[in-house]
């Protein structure tokens, strides 16, 4: 395992975090930051047991891995996200991929929604849509499929 250059600098050359009794990490959940630290200390990648929460934890952890320059963890998170695409997660992951610019996950989610439209709709995926741009993209995909059927 290769340590994060950000943490090596932070705790190695006298930054204020080295001697602080408490280090504040903003914009993340404690569970996600704990998973990052566990990974750095043990090379153990664990997203927890909760199926629906695994995708969100992978998104959060991937963001931390990018922020703290831990590329292997970032790749493990990306793989976990690709494996977690399903009826209930396809739309939230599609929106997250759109927001973060993850083209591979975006394409996978779009294809999943197109191929499993009934299951996604039954899971409440349509009601989960928040991003108007993503909704327009899905509508465009649906119109393209209709045109292909004619």
């Amino acid at each position: 395992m290769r340590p994060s250059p950000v943490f090596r600098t932070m705790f190695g050359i006298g930054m204020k975090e080295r001697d602080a009794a408490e280090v504040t990490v903003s914009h993340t959940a404690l569970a996600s930051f704990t998973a990052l630290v566990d990974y750095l200390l043990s090379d153990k990648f664990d997203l927890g047991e909760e199926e629906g929460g695994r995708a969100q934890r992978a998104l959060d952890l991937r963001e931390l891995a990018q922020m703290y320059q831990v590329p292997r963890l970032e790749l493990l998170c990306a793989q976990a996200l690709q494996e977690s695409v399903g009826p209930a997660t396809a739309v939230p992951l599609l929106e997250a991929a759109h927001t973060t610019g993850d083209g591979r996950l975006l394409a996978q989610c779009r294809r999943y929604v197109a191929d499993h439209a009934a299951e996604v709709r039954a899971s409440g995926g349509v009601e989960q849509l928040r991003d108007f741009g993503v909704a327009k993209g899905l509508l465009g995909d649906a119109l393209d499929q209709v045109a292909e059927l004619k």
Side-chain angles (χ1 to χ4, degrees):
M1 179 182 79
R2 188 178 278 165
S4 162
V6 175
F7 284 113
R8 183 175 37 247
T9 302
M10 184 184 295
F11 295 112
I13 64 167
M15 291 178 74
K16 68 180 181 177
E17 289 86 356
R18 185 184 75 181
D19 299 322
E22 188 174 291
V23 176
T24 301
V25 180
S26 57
H27 308 298
T28 191
L30 176 60
S32 298
F33 191 74
T34 300
L36 171 67
V37 172
D38 286 346
Y39 174 79
L40 291 171
L41 293 174
S42 67
D43 200 30
K44 180 180 147 194
F45 179 66
D46 183 12
L47 295 174
E49 300 298 321
E50 185 183 333
E51 193 58 40
R54 289 175 57 83
Q56 186 59 51
R57 175 91 34 81
L59 284 169
D60 294 345
L61 195 52
R62 183 179 68 174
E63 187 176 331
L64 286 173
Q66 290 170 341
M67 184 184 323
Y68 292 112
Q69 301 175 20
V70 187
R72 183 169 175 269
L73 179 58
E74 190 177 341
L75 290 172
L76 289 170
C77 290
Q79 180 181 3
L81 287 168
Q82 291 170 2
E83 292 170 358
S84 69
V85 175
T89 60
V91 171
L93 288 176
L94 175 64
E95 289 186 315
H98 176 71
T99 300
T100 62
D102 184 340
R104 177 178 279 175
L105 183 60
L106 182 72
Q108 180 184 356
C109 290
R110 285 177 65 190
R111 173 66 19 217
Y112 188 91
V113 170
D115 292 345
H116 302 90
E119 294 99 325
V120 171
R121 187 171 183 162
S123 77
V126 174
E127 290 78 23
Q128 294 177 44
L129 271 170
R130 293 187 180 112
D131 186 307
F132 186 63
V134 171
K136 285 174 37 179
L138 289 174
L139 178 59
D141 290 347
L143 292 173
D144 289 346
Q145 283 187 321
V146 168
E148 286 176 19
L149 293 174
K150 286 187 174 185

